[in-house]
Amino acid sequence: KIPVLYGTAFFGSVINDAELSSDNQSMYYSMTLSEKTGTVLSTGLDSVYTFKDVYWNDQRIVFKSDGITLDYTVDRTGAFDRTASGLVKVYCYSGDSTSGVVPENYTGTVPNAYNVMPSWNNSHNMTDLIFAIVKLTYSRDKNVTGLGSFNFEVSNSMKFPGDVLYDYFSNSLYGAGLSNSEIDINTLTALTTYSKTSVSYEDQGVGIGQVLDDRYQINGLLDTENNVFANIEKICNSAGSWLSYDNYLGKFGVIINKAESTVASFNDSNIISSIRIQGTGLSELYNNVKVEFPNRDILDRADYINIEIPAVDRNANELNNILNISYELINEPVQSQLLGFIELKQSRVDLLINFETDYSYINLRAGEVITVTDQTSGFSNKQFRILSINENQDGANALTTEILALEYDANVYSTADLYRYTRTNDNGIITIASIGTPGTPQVSKIEIASRPRVIIESVSPGGVVEGLEYWYTTDSKKLHTIRNKTSNWRRNI
């Protein structure tokens, strides 16, 4: 099973082929990253994939001008390592063996994959796959003796939840395989439109007045080993929405959990059954939420956000109760925090109501807001959001409409005080051979007959440096040889 990438994420690969070169000096690895997604619903354009960065053994690769050959690597501290220069090549492909691309900000040309892997031919198509081929040339002296770990930062232009859901609904290889007649495209389009609205927040490093352009994006890998329904729920949860099936239209769509206007009112005149009410006890109310998500600031490593209801806003004798949420498809901290606020506030507005009305209301749709007035229950135009509508038949063969609805409170969607914390993946560990560039040597000549000498001063480069060696010669050929022999500085760990 190959995962599906939506949006931008940092991730590894599945090795699907490996070969040794005929001279036994190089290894080739074919590394599959993702299935290729289809047409973007909101634009009508094909998905576009961009390789942004490649990481080898937790160090970012900087390529030579061809966009294929490793020039040097950069560790978390920003120190350079040129040890493996020229010994590693990475060929990237965005859809099949003929769709070679170079990473972002490079302009080289990538040969067809079947011309790179030694035993492949033009029947090795890798159709609809995002993948890379890595060539490693063995060097014990340069410590290039194995594949190590490779991770890629890849971007897919399909990132808005409505587009993502349509692709996953309709794809028959890794998705649900639904036809357009079974998909409520209008609700998906509405979700994409809503997702593009901006959100304001405060940034720890910058200050107030910052704006997140898109309220919701899907950024991550969808595991195709999982049940299709479970994956659809993950996408919906990451966009503050619910999956729904409209019995009236016979289509799957979504309900956006956002502020809405009332579309119908119910009271004794049109409620034809008893009203059944269900709620959560005081001991089960949540007052704290812990949100886990992969943070893009630290290369999609796990991060957490804690949100708590202040004691002054809690009910009397309310016990601490933590709601744990995990978002695998969100790597933006502000989006994770926004959804955490909504889920926490929604969990405290948990009253469910169930009743029957006449068949004329069968055209109401899940997600719409209604009001209920009932003297016995103490409801006076109390708002509820419809969760489901069912068609029933009573003993006299009359058709009725059964409505299940959740208490609605517009304050759930009020703007929260969103705050973006600064994160760094710098762990202070200096990678072996990661030594920066020294300062330009300053030479002072002291011409005293009793003690003539030369003083050479330079700023020590970043990294663990034991010493600097300076060589002097008047022979340019010898100087070139010396430079080659001393290209690796002495270092310790």
Side-chain angles (χ1 to χ4, degrees):
K1 290 284 189 177
I2 305 300
V4 184
L5 169 69
Y6 294 111
T8 303
F10 300 81
F11 57 101
S13 63
V14 177
I15 298 176
N16 65 282
D17 199 0
E19 297 184 45
L20 181 64
S21 64
S22 57
D23 61 2
N24 296 330
Q25 294 301 305
S26 300
M27 278 294 298
Y28 294 81
Y29 298 90
S30 175
M31 311 169 77
T32 305
L33 304 176
S34 168
E35 297 277 7
K36 186 178 186 296
T37 57
T39 302
V40 180
L41 175 64
S42 61
T43 64
L45 303 175
D46 290 339
S47 303
V48 177
Y49 288 83
T50 303
F51 284 77
K52 302 178 77 65
D53 274 313
V54 182
Y55 293 81
W56 182 37
N57 294 330
D58 202 33
Q59 298 183 62
R60 181 172 60 87
I61 294 178
V62 176
F63 295 96
K64 295 181 182 293
S65 59
D66 62 1
I68 296 172
T69 308
L70 183 150
D71 189 9
Y72 59 90
T73 59
V74 184
D75 70 7
R76 296 187 188 187
T77 67
F80 293 1
D81 183 357
R82 300 183 182 275
T83 303
S85 180
L87 299 178
V88 179
K89 295 179 180 289
V90 182
Y91 305 83
C92 302
Y93 299 88
S94 62
D96 58 32
S97 290
T98 63
S99 60
V101 293
V102 293
E104 195 172 44
N105 301 320
Y106 294 93
T107 57
T109 301
V110 180
N112 294 336
Y114 48 74
N115 293 327
V116 177
M117 290 293 285
S119 67
W120 285 17
N121 55 48
N122 57 11
S123 66
H124 291 77
N125 296 316
M126 298 292 280
T127 305
D128 289 337
L129 292 174
I130 311 304
F131 69 102
I133 295 176
V134 174
K135 177 186 177 183
L136 299 173
T137 300
Y138 178 87
S139 174
R140 183 185 296 274
D141 293 340
K142 303 295 180 64
N143 199 33
V144 182
T145 58
L147 179 64
S149 64
F150 269 86
N151 286 286
F152 299 80
E153 182 188 8
V154 184
S155 174
N156 179 2
S157 61
M158 186 180 292
K159 61 184 179 181
F160 293 110
D163 296 332
V164 169
L165 280 169
Y166 177 78
D167 179 76
Y168 197 71
F169 275 151
S170 60
N171 190 281
S172 58
L173 178 64
Y174 53 77
L178 300 177
S179 64
N180 277 4
S181 64
E182 298 172 297
I183 303 172
D184 190 346
I185 293 178
N186 289 335
T187 64
L188 303 185
T189 301
L191 176 57
T192 292
T193 300
Y194 183 67
S195 298
K196 291 181 179 180
T197 58
S198 61
V199 176
S200 299
Y201 66 95
E202 180 179 353
D203 191 294
Q204 182 181 10
V206 182
I208 61 174
Q210 306 308 306
V211 176
L212 181 67
D213 291 334
D214 302 319
R215 175 181 296 266
Y216 299 138
Q217 284 187 10
I218 303 299
N219 291 293
L221 285 178
L222 203 58
D223 187 353
T224 53
E225 291 278 5
N226 293 337
N227 177 277
V228 168
F229 183 76
N231 279 339
I232 291 174
E233 285 197 316
K234 283 184 180 181
I235 299 170
C236 290
N237 291 339
S238 300
S241 304
W242 299 294
L243 173 68
S244 71
Y245 181 75
D246 192 317
N247 286 317
Y248 185 70
L249 297 176
K251 295 183 178 183
F252 288 95
V254 293
I255 304 168
I256 307 173
N257 191 13
K258 64 181 182 68
E260 299 284 3
S261 301
T262 301
V263 298
S265 298
F266 293 91
N267 50 44
D268 290 342
S269 66
N270 53 7
I271 296 177
I272 59 177
S273 70
S274 61
I275 297 177
R276 296 167 290 279
I277 300 173
Q278 180 181 345
T280 301
L282 181 63
S283 62
E284 298 175 342
L285 283 178
Y286 292 110
N287 43 46
N288 193 310
V289 63
K290 180 180 179 181
V291 182
E292 179 183 1
F293 67 101
N295 192 330
R296 63 176 59 171
D297 294 345
I298 50 176
L299 309 186
D300 282 359
R301 292 177 173 86
D303 198 2
Y304 302 87
I305 292 175
N306 287 290
I307 304 169
E308 185 175 355
I309 300 291
V312 68
D313 294 329
R314 299 184 187 183
N315 297 308
N317 303 317
E318 184 177 333
L319 300 175
N320 287 329
N321 196 8
I322 300 176
L323 173 63
N324 292 297
I325 303 175
S326 178
Y327 294 118
E328 299 176 17
L329 302 177
I330 299 176
N331 59 12
E332 167 53 52
V334 175
Q335 181 180 342
S336 299
Q337 190 178 47
L338 174 62
L339 286 172
F341 269 113
I342 292 175
E343 289 292 339
L344 181 57
K345 290 190 286 185
Q346 184 71 69
S347 71
R348 299 177 69 83
V349 184
D350 64 336
L351 194 66
L352 285 172
I353 187 172
N354 180 249
F355 62 89
E356 290 185 38
T357 185
D358 63 74
Y359 193 71
S360 64
Y361 291 96
I362 192 65
N363 60 341
L364 289 176
R365 303 178 64 180
E368 292 181 323
V369 176
I370 60 175
T371 62
V372 175
T373 298
D374 179 64
Q375 185 175 0
T376 304
S377 306
F379 298 157
S380 177
N381 289 320
K382 187 171 180 60
Q383 291 181 306
F384 291 87
R385 184 190 295 275
I386 299 174
L387 295 182
S388 67
I389 298 177
N390 291 312
E391 179 185 293
N392 289 337
Q393 191 171 21
D394 63 18
N397 292 325
L399 295 176
T400 63
T401 302
E402 181 182 1
I403 294 177
L404 176 66
L406 174 68
E407 183 180 4
Y408 173 87
D409 185 351
N411 290 324
V412 169
Y413 315 102
S414 60
T415 303
D417 294 327
L418 302 176
Y419 190 87
R420 199 179 201 280
Y421 295 89
T422 300
R423 295 287 190 267
T424 177
N425 65 344
D426 184 355
N427 55 12
I429 299 175
I430 299 174
T431 309
I432 295 176
S434 293
I435 296 177
T437 303
T440 302
Q442 301 296 320
V443 181
S444 300
K445 182 174 62 173
I446 300 176
E447 297 177 324
I448 299 178
S450 60
R451 193 185 173 193
R453 61 194 184 277
V454 173
I455 297 176
I456 305 175
E457 297 175 296
S458 177
V459 176
S460 178
V464 180
V465 180
E466 185 181 76
L468 302 180
E469 293 184 357
Y470 295 94
W471 296 68
Y472 173 77
T473 180
T474 57
D475 188 323
S476 61
K477 292 183 179 180
K478 287 184 179 180
L479 178 61
H480 177 73
T481 301
I482 290 171
R483 283 175 174 168
N484 286 337
K485 288 182 178 180
T486 61
S487 59
N488 286 325
W489 294 355
R490 289 181 294 157
R491 57 184 69 82
N492 57 21
I493 301 174

